[in-house]
Amino acid sequence: MISAASQDHPAPERRHAGAASVAVVDTQRTELLKLDNISKIFGGVKALQSIKFDVMPGEVLCLAGENGCGKSTLIKVISGVYQPEPDAVMLMDGQSIEGLDPAKARELGIQVIWQDLALFPEMTVAENIAFEQNLGPRPRLVNYRQMKVAARRILERLGVSIDLGRSVRSLSIAQRQIVAIARALVADARLVFMDEPTASLSHAETEALLKIVRRLSADGIAVVFVSHRLAEVLDVCTRVTVLRDGQYVGTFPTAGMTQTRLTELMTGRTFDYAVRTTDLSAAPVVLQVADLTRRGEYDAVSFAVRKGEILGVTGRLGAGRTELALSLFGMTRPGAGSISLDGKKLSLGSNRDAIRAGIAYVSEDRLQLGLVQPQSIGDNTVAAVLDDLLDATRLISLKKRDSLITDWIEQLAVKIGKPEDAVSTLSGGNQQRIVLAKWLATNPKLLILDSPTVGVDVGARAGIFAIIHKLAAQGMAILLISDEIPEVYFNADRILHMRNGRVVREYVPGATSIDQIERDVHA
């Protein structure tokens, strides 16, 4: 076990004041939930080994660890999906829990909001929120008036307003998160697990969600928060329980904890944080953007990216970062201005034009736009270069295909079972490596990375950025877009700050402090 008292390394991050509004844990009270000696074995593989876990009423607790550490398995044990091995101790309000299954867990007030939210997209907001109220052993008529009253009451309790008659499909991801939380409260939740609730949210949407989490805490509802965004963990949680490789590392107060220290606890490794100091002022320009404008999205944007340079772009919600990236990749047409690659002006009518010119784009939405989840790892890897795999008969050469797949899996150190496995079987970090492989196979001159570490754990993030640094060292020009300022600060040579569709300032990491950039961006 690692001691919480061991020396921290210098950290690029700080605690935020928001944590002060979370309910203070009274350690003299009985734990809402207390587990001891929780183990789970699948086919001889020890997914969990003698885990300890406890959460107090009204507490916001973080359950932290890399992908594959056992977090999801532990949550499924607590929610009755899996049965632990014999000799496990499970107490709720000090009383032993026997024969726990999903129905009994819900009766006890245990609710889980998984990352996919498990909502019904074609049903209305009210129907989704009050869904469980209409379940029962016998068929019965649905009381829509009562359903709307219950849904409205819960949303008012959360301090939000959403049209109860709208279909969930029409809602933003942030609004769907609120609907999922409201559904848990209708079911009289006392303990809510939130699995990566902010993975697809903007900074502003995340702040709104954390405000709701604090409101739940103030109402006495315990929340277990699972997130790879460690700044949020330190902001909203009072304690953090760390798992590594299915084992219990420890439970630590977040007061005084840094992202660096928490990363070390989760991974067992030390990470060095240092700004890039490469002088690329004499390197040839790969991408030149001049006065690029698209009405309502971005305005008079000008910048250059040089060979081997990583240019960071950051800013708040609505800054126009992704909209700019889509135009650079030919997905939308700018109304004015120019784009040049290697000194040649481009007229991009589609993403195919951009790919042919030598531009690759890794979308921020890996699940929907980056990968075809049901298809194999191999098929996803070669999806953008099928024309290059054709033989003399205009059919795909299996030899070329298999060679390319093997080559990129080895180069990017992707951990897989078999190339024929569905890409959905991979962890978030390995899925992102497959997205990179798909685009690197096109041999691009410019690689656009839009929030490349969304939903990726801290250890895998370091591996992905190591790949990005290697690509830059080989001469690739890279545009790195992220709303996580430490990501661009420690991985980019220069940083552009976008606000309301315009570039308002340029920074050089090291010459400007990360605190100054964060103040400017969030002012």
Side-chain angles (χ1 to χ4, degrees):
M1 184 179 298
I2 299 176
S3 170
S6 60
Q7 182 65 39
D8 281 348
H9 294 269
E13 57 281 336
R14 291 140 309 282
R15 288 297 313 275
H16 297 278
S21 60
V22 176
V24 176
V25 177
D26 181 356
T27 55
Q28 301 303 312
R29 290 189 294 166
T30 301
E31 297 92 344
L32 174 62
L33 178 70
K34 183 175 182 178
L35 310 181
D36 199 4
N37 198 34
I38 302 296
S39 298
K40 186 62 184 176
I41 301 173
F42 296 102
V45 177
K46 294 181 179 179
L48 297 174
Q49 301 179 55
S50 303
I51 299 295
K52 297 179 180 180
F53 181 82
D54 67 86
V55 59
M56 305 298 293
E59 178 180 18
V60 183
L61 173 77
C62 172
L63 180 59
E66 294 188 276
N67 288 335
C69 72
K71 300 189 300 292
S72 295
T73 302
L74 178 60
I75 293 172
K76 288 179 179 178
V77 168
I78 294 171
S79 58
V81 176
Y82 294 152
Q83 299 302 310
E85 304 303 320
D87 300 325
V89 176
M90 302 181 69
L91 304 175
M92 189 88 171
D93 295 321
Q95 302 296 314
S96 179
I97 304 173
E98 303 291 343
L100 187 64
D101 58 24
K104 186 169 184 178
R106 287 195 296 272
E107 289 176 10
L108 291 170
I110 299 172
Q111 290 281 335
V112 181
I113 302 174
W114 295 107
Q115 190 171 357
D116 64 5
L117 302 181
L119 298 173
F120 299 95
E122 302 302 336
M123 293 173 65
T124 66
V125 170
E127 288 168 339
N128 271 275
I129 291 175
F131 178 77
E132 287 196 28
Q133 287 189 336
N134 292 286
L135 298 178
R138 297 180 181 177
R140 54 179 173 167
L141 294 175
V142 175
N143 187 327
Y144 284 97
R145 180 180 176 280
Q146 187 180 59
M147 181 185 295
K148 289 183 177 180
V149 169
R152 184 176 293 107
R153 183 179 68 250
I154 294 298
L155 291 178
E156 288 174 351
R157 179 178 172 186
L158 294 176
V160 296
S161 177
I162 302 176
D163 183 351
L164 298 177
R166 284 182 64 181
S167 69
V168 164
R169 182 181 295 281
S170 68
L171 301 181
S172 67
I173 294 296
Q175 290 172 317
R176 295 181 195 186
Q177 284 282 1
I178 293 170
V179 171
I181 294 169
R183 183 174 63 183
L185 297 186
V186 165
D188 295 324
R190 300 177 63 206
L191 171 59
V192 179
F193 287 84
M194 294 186 179
D195 182 27
E196 293 292 343
T198 62
S200 300
L201 304 187
S202 68
H203 180 83
E205 291 170 332
T206 295
E207 286 299 316
L209 179 64
L210 296 186
K211 184 178 179 181
I212 289 174
V213 170
R214 295 186 183 102
R215 186 185 290 260
L216 296 178
S217 173
D219 286 347
I221 298 170
V223 177
V224 177
F225 204 76
V226 180
S227 176
H228 294 314
R229 293 184 173 183
L230 301 188
E232 298 167 4
V233 167
L234 299 181
D235 185 17
V236 76
C237 300
T238 53
R239 294 189 302 155
V240 54
T241 293
V242 181
L243 304 184
R244 189 192 318 138
D245 297 328
Q247 300 185 50
Y248 176 73
V249 175
T251 298
F252 312 93
T254 55
M257 179 71 74
T258 65
Q259 292 184 47
T260 303
R261 180 61 182 147
L262 184 51
T263 298
E264 291 173 1
L265 291 168
M266 292 164 61
T267 64
R269 306 194 302 274
T270 299
F271 296 89
D272 293 325
Y273 291 92
V275 297
R276 289 168 59 85
T277 57
T278 309
D279 183 5
L280 295 164
S281 57
V285 172
V286 175
L287 175 71
Q288 181 77 57
V289 176
D291 293 320
L292 207 65
T293 299
R294 181 174 166 86
R295 188 173 182 179
E297 295 185 356
Y298 52 84
D299 183 37
V301 174
S302 299
F303 63 88
V305 188
R306 297 180 179 273
K307 185 176 182 180
E309 182 180 27
I310 302 176
L311 178 64
V313 181
T314 192
R316 299 181 68 175
L317 176 68
R321 300 165 304 159
T322 294
E323 291 79 3
L324 174 64
L326 291 174
S327 289
L328 295 177
F329 192 55
M331 300 294 288
T332 60
R333 284 181 175 270
S338 63
I339 303 170
S340 300
L341 198 69
D342 284 343
K344 180 181 178 181
K345 284 193 176 182
L346 300 180
S347 178
L348 302 175
S350 69
N351 59 337
R352 291 182 178 274
D353 292 340
I355 294 168
R356 279 193 289 266
I359 300 174
Y361 173 55
V362 175
S363 165
E364 63 179 336
D365 190 347
R366 178 180 66 244
L367 297 181
Q368 298 296 324
L369 302 178
L371 298 168
V372 183
Q373 292 290 324
Q375 291 192 5
S376 71
I377 296 165
D379 286 345
N380 274 278
T381 303
V382 301
V385 291
L386 293 178
D387 287 346
D388 297 338
L389 303 179
L390 300 179
D391 59 20
T393 64
R394 303 298 294 169
L395 296 175
I396 291 177
S397 166
L398 295 182
K399 183 178 179 180
K400 287 183 181 180
R401 175 186 180 278
D402 293 346
S403 176
L404 186 67
I405 293 168
T406 300
D407 183 41
W408 281 111
I409 286 174
E410 290 178 353
Q411 283 196 53
L412 300 187
V414 189
K415 296 178 182 178
I416 68 168
K418 297 176 295 184
E420 294 77 26
D421 293 341
V423 75
S424 58
T425 62
L426 300 180
S427 67
N430 284 303
Q431 284 191 19
Q432 194 69 329
R433 289 175 187 239
I434 291 297
V435 177
L436 283 171
K438 178 180 77 173
W439 290 114
L440 293 178
T442 66
N443 194 28
K445 300 173 183 176
L446 172 71
L447 177 62
I448 303 171
L449 301 169
D450 194 352
S451 302
T453 61
V454 168
V456 175
D457 67 42
V458 289
R461 287 183 183 205
I464 288 171
F465 280 118
I467 293 170
I468 293 169
H469 294 166
K470 183 179 179 180
L471 294 171
Q474 293 171 349
M476 189 175 294
I478 296 172
L479 191 64
L480 172 62
I481 300 169
S482 178
D483 61 359
E484 295 195 35
I485 295 170
E487 283 198 347
V488 292
Y489 191 83
F490 292 101
N491 293 288
D493 300 290
R494 291 183 297 128
I495 302 170
L496 301 181
H497 172 197
M498 288 189 70
R499 183 190 295 273
N500 298 326
R502 301 181 71 93
V503 175
V504 295
R505 194 164 178 183
E506 178 180 317
Y507 306 95
V508 176
T512 306
S513 71
I514 187 172
D515 297 284
Q516 182 61 56
I517 298 174
E518 289 196 336
R519 282 195 295 270
D520 290 349
V521 169
H522 298 305

